[in-house]
Amino acid sequence: LAASVHLGLDPRGYERPDHRLQVMIAGIISETCGVRLDQDRMGVDGCSVPTWSLPLGALAQGFARLGTREDLSPTRAQAAQRLLRACFASPVLVAGEGRFDTIAMRALAPDLFVKGGAEGVHCAALPGLGLGIALKVDDGAKRGTERAIAEILAALIPEARTALAEQLEGEVLNWRGLRVGQAVASAALTRELPAIAIAPRRKARGP
């Protein structure tokens, strides 16, 4: 809504796929992630705006570009830098108090930008390493994706294991605050973590 007003567009119906704002947003997603968006694979999210289906690899590439600003036009790169700086300055506005993304960015920014989405999707940009991460947990529950991304971040960022100690514990509480279980990394993920930790990485432009 604010973007529509800022751009001088009629804000009425801004959530519709055919609104000029949503057409512009779809173009930015397509350009940044390097994919052609398919109208037949578009959903509607909880905020009533279009939500696009795209491969995880493309989503990870988009987040890598967001963090490094590589392969973006000068105007888009400047916008990406401004966006990340705003998120790093006020992580609570990204996710809310006590949420994974807020906790992680308060401790690890500007080395990490992380954003969870609906249905078990979680993405991250690591500007200094030139990496993007995109995860999707099949059952759509955030407890799985947060545990998985915490493990990956701990393998890539040395300080993350301390900063995310509580998240790595994976404690599952009920509404009364009682411990009722524990979310743990799968054997397959655990096997791959050492390779992630020692993979050659490059330094890139930070925000």
Side-chain angles (χ1 to χ4, degrees), residues 49-94:
V49 297
T51 304
W52 299 95
S53 173
L54 64 162
L56 286 176
L59 193 54
Q61 176 177 272
F63 270 75
R65 286 176 171 170
L66 176 65
T68 65
R69 308 189 302 280
E70 294 181 3
D71 300 321
L72 297 180
S73 69
T75 300
R76 192 83 70 229
Q78 185 179 31
Q81 182 182 46
R82 183 179 179 185
L83 175 63
L84 288 194
R85 283 179 173 173
C87 293
F88 294 155
S90 299
V92 69
L93 298 181
V94 176

Side-chain angles (χ1 to χ4, degrees), residues 87-136:
C87 293
F88 294 155
S90 299
V92 69
L93 298 181
V94 176
E97 199 62 63
R99 302 288 292 276
F100 180 92
D101 300 342
T102 302
I103 294 167
M105 282 192 285
R106 276 179 174 164
L108 301 170
D111 294 326
L112 171 69
F113 170 71
V114 61
K115 182 71 178 75
E119 299 300 322
V121 172
H122 223 116
C123 299
L126 287 73
L129 299 180
L131 297 177
I133 299 170
L135 301 180
K136 170 73 171 81

Side-chain angles (χ1 to χ4, degrees), residues 147-148 151-152 155 161 183-197:
R147 184 69 169 83
E151 288 285 359
I152 293 170
R161 187 155 297 280
V184 299
S186 69
L189 175 59
T190 301
R191 283 196 303 271
E192 296 299 327
L193 288 174
I196 293 173

